[in-house]
Structures are given as structure tokens and as C-alpha cells.
Amino acid sequence: MADFFTIRADFLILKQKINGKRLVYLDSAATSQKPKQVIEAEKVFYETINANVARSIHYLSEKATEAYENSRKKVADFINSDSDEIIFVRNTTEAINLAANGLDFKKDDEIITTLMEHHSNIVPWQIICKKTGAKLKIVDTLPDGQLDLKQFEKFLSSKTKLVAVTHVSNVLGTINPVKEITRLAKKFGALVLIDGAQGAPHMKVDVNDIGCDFYAFSGHKLLAPTGIGVLFGKKEILDKMQPFLYGGHMIKKVTKESSTFMDAPERFEAGTANFAGAVALGAAIDYLEKIGMENVREHEKELTRYALEKLSKIKDIEIYGPKNAEIRGGVISFNIKGAHPHDVAQILDSEGIAIRSGHACAMPLMQRLGAESICRASFYIYNDKKDVDALVKGLEKVKGVLKL
Amino acid sequence: MTLDIYAEEIIDRFKSPHNFGKIDKADAQAMDYNPACGDEVEIFLKVKDGKISDVRFAGRGCAISQAASDILCDCAKTKTVAELKNMRDEDMINLLGVKITGTRLKCALLGLWALRGALKNGNRNI
Ligand SMILES: Cc1ncc(COP(=O)(O)O)c(C=O)c1O
């Protein structure tokens, strides 16, 4: 079993005091902190082998290319896929836009998404539908924070071209049954894209087992630097897709009149890539695999269970999403009656506690919850029960300051 | 930032604002919206002889945006339309009397933005 007590020491940022208090970072769903091993990997890359990849014939370029491709292999293994199915992008948002723009939609095609998506898994599909005349259907959530799978089954038909669904909700924490959703979609020959922004960092993901066609995630939520993300796409589907961006690195041959393009993944990686970021992502994956993704999940499940129990004792609190930690990731959104999330966050900040406040980029879901905005605490490997206790104590202070 | 911004007056106004409500047949009204949190404030104005005769605000939001809107309404009642049109962001912060920085500035200024909107698209008699 991993020693979660010593893990915190690898995150130097967590050593500082905020407003004289121990920093309690509960905003990892927005972005994770980075261990020194990851920061070191990026530094070492720049100090020893930095050069543009796959361009020049010299020692550094070869080493850099090797490191870049080595990271691609690590990512592929991490989610049980093949290297040529891994496209490096900036983040989840870019990954979803790449898939949305690369696929061929027609009038009367239907795209199914859900009410619990981050804006990045709704807006691109809205735009595609506007451009092509395809139709968007949005699966509702049930009062317990799970997807209405009955409605989803009703929506499915031979017209369904694609199902876009989040692995884990960034507001409700709900872990969706993505394997079952994929199985249902496949009965109608639909493609399945999974937004794994809150999935891949927190649990073992096996895209082969799930059976999905696309899986997107961001490095920055998975201990890696900003600006590096991943789109997994099944090889046979990527090969049929249009490129998203055009330019250098993705071409085979260019004449004055026309060009031909490389195969995947290069076909989708126009321009100089964030190779240093990719190398650091490789180091982040090494770090997580050393702990073991099963252990990461167990740790967060335990914290979530503890937090749900403690928080639910607070008077006038409303907690959104499933009450059962088995189907819930380490994300807990809540509201305290009479307290605006901005004020809650501000007062918690005075205690060194960092949470998210606002609509969490999920405005359609906010409407469903009947809230303008929410407070959200989210956990990762460096959090412990002390952090939860600090949050509970901080919320008592909030009530005091706001005279609730 | 410390908790000074949650001064007694701010909390009291948040909990029981003096000027909360709407004005039927207002001479000017406008709503503004903070996309970061979904807060919205709507300002209603009654004008007589170039002076503000009544002003109210409605909407929802955090303690800062609500208290600031309330204080702004109190202030507006003593002003002419011309004076209000000249009101700057700093004036609003000064009225609030607490130190506001960074991300909370938008909260503090939401009411003023709505007021500016109202002054811009109000009836001809203002
Ligand atoms: C579920 C989900 N999808 C997508 C995103 C977008 O991620 P990024 O901003 O890294 O593109 C986020 C992050 O906020 C998220 O939580």
C-alpha cells in the first residue's frame, strides 16, 4: 500500500503557509499540484536534450524525439491502448474539439450528450449541430445525481452518430457507467467519446475494456504541467478523420497546389508540439503508477466517504450528487443556505483553504440543481482527513462571519 | 486578502438591504451580470428634474455585490443624473469603505455597471 503520508512532501507548493495557515488545497478538480519529480523531469529535458522533435538529424533532436515518443508509449500503456492511438493536444477541451471537427456529421445525424457535462463537452457539439444540421439530445440527471439511463436508451437509435459523456462529473462527482453506456451505444453503431478529465487522474482507465472510440483528458489535472493533454482515438477511426489543424509536422508532401497528410497520430499534431510537457506527463504517469491507480482510487474513496459523513452533519448544508462513495469520485459540491459561494470561498481562504466557487463550467447542470453557483471541494493523492477536518471547521467560521 | 471586507455594515446590508426591490414604471432600469458566478443585479431609477427621486435594486449575489448595490442606491438618492454619470469605479470602492482587490472587484462593481446601463438606456426624461 502506498504511503500517502509521505506523498505530500513531494509537493513543495503545499509546504507554504497561506494567511499564516497550513495550505489546504481542495481544488484539484480545477488543476492538480505537481510533485517535484514532474517538475524535475521537465527541467532535465530542457537542460539536457531540448530540440525540436522529428525534424533534424542531430543528437539532441533524436534524443528529444525518443523522449517524446517514449511518453506517448507511457500514455498508451496507462490507458491500455496503442501508441498510434494517442494524440497529444493542449487539454481536454482541444481533444474534444479535435474529435468534433474531424468527424463527418450530416443533417439528421444525432449526437447524444448529457446534462452533467463540462461546457467543453456541450458547446463543441452545439456548434457542430449548428453547422451540419445534426441534432443534439441531452440526457437528464436523476435527483440522486446519476444519469437517467432509461432516457438515454430511449434517445438511442440508428440515427445516433455519437455519444459524448463524461467519465466523472466535475460537479456531482458521479462516476458514470461508461462501459455500459458504450455497450448500449454500440448496439446502434454509434461512436462513443468519453470526457476523462476527472476520470484518468483518479482511477484505472482501460479504454480497451470500456470499448469507447475516444477518451480525452488533461495533463494538468493529472500531476503534469499545463498545456499538455491527450486524445485517445481508435486507430481505424482516426485514419478516417479530417485533420483539425494544418501546417508543419502533419504533412507527407506539399506542392504549390495541394498536400497529403501523415497518418495518425502525426496527422493531428500540426505545428511544434509541447514535447517538454509530454515528457513531464510521462513522469507524472510514472509517479501515479508507482502509487498504483487502484490505491489512488481507494484513498480518494476513503476521503470522500469521510467528507460526506462530516459535511452532512453541518446545519443548512446541501450536498449535491450521489451519497455513495462507491459511485462517486473525490469531488463534493455543496451550498450553505444564506451563504454565497464566493463569500464561502473567500472566508475559507482566510483559513488557508482553497476551494472552487462558481458555476464550475457546467451552467446547464446548475439550472437543473436550482443553484446559480456552488462551492466545490475536490481531493487528490496529497489530501488527507486533516484537510477535511479543516474544511468542516472553516465552514463553521463562514457561518460565524456571515452571521448565519 | 483578509476578512476586513466582511465588515459589520457589509454583512448587515447583505442580510437586510435598505433598497432591495423593484420600481414599477421606472424611468430607467438595467440588469448586469457577472459570468464568473452567475450573479445579477438590476437597478431601477425614478428621476425628477434631473435628480434621482427613487432608486432600488434587485437580483442575487454574494455579500459584496449585494451590499455594494445597496450602498450605491443610498448614494444615488443624493445625486443628480449628471453626477451619477460621472461616477467612476474608484468612487464605488471608496463608498464601500473596505479594501477590495482582484477577483472580488467585479462583485463590488456589479451594481455600478447596472446603474450605468440604466443611465444609458433610460427614458428621455433622464
Ligand atoms: C469534466 C471536465 N471536462 C473538461 C474539462 C476541461 O478541461 P481543460 O480546461 O483542461 O480543457 C474539465 C476541467 O475543468 C472537466 O472537469
Side-chain angles (χ1 to χ4, degrees):
Chain A
M1 185 69 196
D3 185 355
F4 284 92
F5 184 70
T6 57
I7 283 172
R8 192 177 162 98
D10 289 333
F11 295 79
L12 301 185
I13 195 168
L14 298 178
K15 292 197 172 152
Q16 66 190 305
K17 295 256 192 294
I18 304 289
N19 295 316
K21 307 279 166 55
R22 171 180 184 265
L23 169 57
V24 175
Y25 187 75
L26 297 175
D27 198 15
S28 294
T31 198
S32 75
Q33 297 303 346
K34 329 296 176 198
K36 60 184 183 210
Q37 290 84 343
V38 168
I39 297 167
E40 184 67 16
E42 182 151 356
K43 181 165 173 272
V44 167
F45 176 90
Y46 278 124
E47 286 177 353
T48 58
I49 56 172
N50 176 54
N52 210 329
V53 301
R55 295 266 168 97
S56 318
I57 307 296
H58 56 68
Y59 175 83
L60 289 180
S61 180
E62 265 171 33
K63 282 285 173 206
T65 306
E66 203 178 294
Y68 184 55
E69 292 306 325
N70 192 20
S71 273
R72 197 191 301 281
K73 178 80 172 69
K74 276 182 195 169
V75 172
D77 291 345
F78 184 61
I79 59 171
N80 194 21
S81 62
D82 286 329
S83 282
D84 53 7
E85 298 179 312
I86 298 299
I87 302 164
F88 283 124
V89 291
R90 278 189 306 143
N91 48 37
T92 308
T93 304
E94 186 173 304
I96 296 172
N97 276 276
L98 190 160
N101 285 280
L103 291 166
D104 194 17
F105 292 96
K106 292 189 193 59
K107 191 167 170 317
D108 296 331
D109 281 347
E110 292 182 356
I111 298 171
I112 300 177
T113 185
T114 87
L115 199 63
M116 65 165 82
E117 302 306 312
H118 187 278
H119 294 159
S120 63
N121 204 21
I122 299 180
V123 185
W125 307 116
Q126 286 175 339
I127 300 299
I128 289 294
C129 286
K130 231 180 223 149
K131 273 191 195 156
T132 63
K135 206 167 142 206
L136 190 62
K137 293 189 155 178
I138 299 182
V139 179
D140 211 341
T141 55
L142 298 169
D144 69 355
Q146 297 195 69
L147 281 179
D148 186 345
L149 288 181
K150 289 217 179 76
Q151 189 189 39
F152 172 61
E153 282 197 67
K154 273 193 213 130
F155 281 175
L156 282 168
S157 77
S158 56
K159 288 185 179 172
T160 312
K161 174 86 191 252
L162 179 128
V163 175
V165 62
T166 192
H167 194 172
V168 179
S169 160
N170 68 320
V171 174
L172 301 169
T174 318
I175 303 175
N176 287 316
V178 286
K179 188 174 173 181
E180 175 64 6
I181 287 171
T182 305
R183 192 184 65 80
L184 293 169
K186 287 296 164 195
K187 286 207 270 185
F188 295 90
L191 296 170
V192 176
L193 177 143
I194 296 171
D195 172 352
Q198 304 293 348
H202 304 284
M203 61 195 68
K204 177 77 199 142
V205 171
D206 182 333
V207 291
N208 199 29
D209 181 53
I210 296 169
C212 57
D213 302 282
F214 298 100
Y215 192 97
F217 63 96
S218 299
H220 71 91
K221 296 185 200 277
L222 188 146
L223 307 182
T226 53
I228 186 74
V230 171
L231 177 66
F232 154 80
K234 269 191 195 150
K235 178 77 168 123
E236 65 265 29
I237 291 161
L238 291 180
D239 281 344
K240 282 184 267 172
M241 271 167 52
Q242 290 302 313
F244 179 42
L245 299 171
Y246 297 87
H249 195 77
M250 53 80 69
I251 46 84
K252 242 181 209 151
K253 195 162 180 219
V254 180
T255 66
K256 279 204 289 193
E257 292 77 27
S258 67
S259 315
T260 51
F261 310 127
M262 300 280 280
D263 293 333
E266 284 82 6
R267 181 187 184 79
F268 300 101
E269 292 184 355
T272 294
N274 179 6
F275 33 80
V279 168
L281 174 60
I285 287 174
D286 286 344
Y287 189 91
L288 283 170
E289 299 227 291
K290 222 165 114 199
I291 299 170
M293 290 311 290
E294 282 81 9
N295 294 330
V296 170
R297 171 69 188 130
E298 275 311 311
H299 175 74
E300 290 179 20
K301 206 196 289 180
E302 182 59 29
L303 270 184
T304 303
R305 197 179 286 129
Y306 183 73
L308 284 171
E309 184 198 318
K310 292 273 165 182
L311 288 171
S312 60
K313 294 204 177 107
I314 294 176
K315 204 167 150 271
D316 288 334
I317 195 169
E318 181 173 10
I319 299 174
Y320 305 103
K323 302 288 177 282
N324 176 0
E326 293 298 325
I327 54 162
R328 178 172 196 141
V331 175
I332 301 182
S333 297
F334 60 91
N335 261 313
I336 289 178
K337 209 169 146 205
H340 190 283
H342 271 13
D343 295 320
V344 175
Q346 182 99 60
I347 297 165
L348 288 177
D349 180 58
S350 72
E351 292 295 306
I353 303 166
I355 64 157
R356 173 80 195 257
S357 57
H359 53 56
C361 296
M363 290 167 95
L365 178 59
M366 292 295 120
Q367 284 158 16
R368 164 49 91 230
L369 298 176
E372 306 314 324
S373 54
I374 45 112
C375 310
R376 180 185 72 188
S378 53
F379 310 126
Y380 210 2
I381 49 176
Y382 35 71
N383 292 116
D384 55 22
K385 288 186 180 169
K386 267 200 295 190
D387 294 338
V388 176
D389 293 339
L391 173 66
V392 171
K393 211 168 143 225
L395 289 174
E396 292 305 330
K397 175 165 180 187
V398 168
K399 290 183 148 195
V401 172
L402 295 179
K403 299 187 185 168
L404 295 174
Chain B
M1 187 139 77
T2 66
L3 287 186
D4 295 347
I5 61 166
Y6 294 104
E8 198 78 16
E9 193 196 348
I10 303 276
I11 298 296
D12 289 347
R13 282 185 183 264
F14 173 52
K15 298 184 79 82
S16 24
H18 311 165
N19 305 296
F20 194 83
K22 298 187 176 187
I23 299 178
D24 278 346
K25 302 202 188 100
D27 295 312
Q29 74 188 66
M31 153 124 66
D32 214 321
Y33 177 77
N34 183 353
C37 53
D39 288 356
E40 49 192 42
V41 167
E42 191 166 12
I43 295 265
F44 302 84
L45 293 173
K46 271 277 190 206
V47 179
K48 207 169 168 194
D49 305 330
K51 288 182 81 170
I52 305 299
S53 61
D54 196 11
V55 49
R56 304 245 140 201
F57 81 99
R60 48 156 200 263
C62 62
I64 306 301
S65 72
Q66 300 297 290
S69 299
D70 198 43
I71 290 170
L72 177 65
C73 287
D74 273 352
C75 163
K77 284 179 195 162
T78 67
K79 296 266 192 281
T80 65
V81 169
E83 282 168 335
L84 278 187
K85 280 185 176 164
N86 282 330
M87 201 168 155
R88 296 162 308 155
D89 292 358
E90 303 91 275
D91 300 328
M92 181 68 238
I93 303 300
N94 288 339
L95 273 180
L96 205 52
V98 292
K99 206 170 149 238
I100 296 279
T101 55
T103 46
R104 297 313 290 277
L105 267 176
K106 278 188 191 153
C107 311
L109 296 175
L110 187 56
L112 180 60
W113 291 344
L115 174 71
R116 283 178 186 152
L119 292 170
K120 211 187 250 167
N121 54 23
N123 294 348
R124 223 150 305 138
N125 78 347
I126 74 164

